[in-house]
Amino acid sequence: MKNIRKATIEDKEQLAELFDQYRVFYHKNSDIPSAENFLKERIEKQDSEIYVAETDGILVGFVQLYPLFSSTRMKKYWLLNDLFVNETHRGKGFSKQLIEAAKEVCKSSDACGILLETGKSNDIGNKLYPSCGFELYDEVNFYEWTNK
């Protein structure tokens, strides 16, 4: 049975394993204990919204949103920072369900929208997001400064 729900502290072990798979997908070193601590902190401090996809009691995916604010719109914005479904459960609609949960967070918080970033080479994501109503916004340049 499929279920999308808000993550709880009780999910941290299974969620950390998924989060670790997500990070490894993005070429980071595996570190499940740090992933568990990071997620525990996000949940306890309530500084992100995390929803999980569950089937038969096993977590198979998640979406994590961080709050931002739009000064020009004077409203909250959400950053869809993380979306991941375990590869054995892809193609079953979990990603779309998780995105729908993110949209509900946006609506219920009276936010003006959801932003996300994905790599140009992410063929799956670049098909998924437009199919879920996201529009490619190419009117601005995206810059990054990192504190290395």
Side-chain angles (χ1 to χ4, degrees):
M1 176 179 199
K2 291 181 185 179
N3 183 31
I4 305 295
R5 61 175 175 77
K6 189 169 183 171
T8 67
I9 200 69
E10 289 78 28
D11 296 318
K12 71 179 177 175
E13 288 177 23
Q14 280 192 67
L15 185 55
E17 289 182 29
L18 281 173
F19 191 73
D20 191 65
Q21 292 170 30
Y22 167 76
R23 291 183 68 254
V24 168
F25 177 82
Y26 282 104
H27 312 291
K28 303 298 181 198
N29 293 330
S30 177
D31 187 348
I32 293 175
S34 293
E36 190 172 322
N37 288 336
F38 179 82
L39 293 165
K40 179 179 182 273
E41 204 171 280
R42 299 292 71 73
I43 293 168
E44 287 179 348
K45 290 184 176 184
Q46 298 179 351
D47 55 12
S48 74
E49 293 284 332
I50 305 171
Y51 282 78
V52 293
E54 182 178 41
T55 184
D56 299 321
I58 298 168
L59 300 188
V60 299
F62 70 94
V63 64
Q64 183 164 213
L65 302 151
Y66 291 100
L68 302 171
F69 294 91
S70 170
S71 297
T72 56
R73 294 175 182 169
M74 296 185 295
K75 283 194 159 204
K76 183 182 279 189
Y77 231 124
W78 288 98
L79 173 64
L80 192 162
N81 201 69
D82 312 306
L83 175 67
F84 182 78
V85 173
N86 177 282
E87 64 183 283
T88 61
H89 290 86
R90 292 181 189 155
K92 299 177 181 177
F94 288 111
S95 292
K96 287 187 177 184
Q97 288 179 305
L98 288 164
I99 289 171
E100 287 305 313
K103 288 179 180 179
E104 286 304 314
V105 169
C106 182
K107 291 173 189 174
S108 68
S109 64
D110 193 33
C112 59
I114 299 171
L115 298 171
L116 66 86
E117 170 191 350
T118 193
K120 291 184 184 288
S121 64
N122 182 351
D123 294 333
I124 294 171
N126 285 309
K127 290 177 185 165
L128 171 67
Y129 297 121
S131 76
C132 292
F134 286 80
E135 295 178 21
L136 183 62
Y137 190 77
D138 59 0
E139 296 179 17
V140 299
N141 292 330
F142 181 83
Y143 293 93
E144 178 182 33
W145 178 87
T146 58
N147 185 17
K148 294 181 184 177

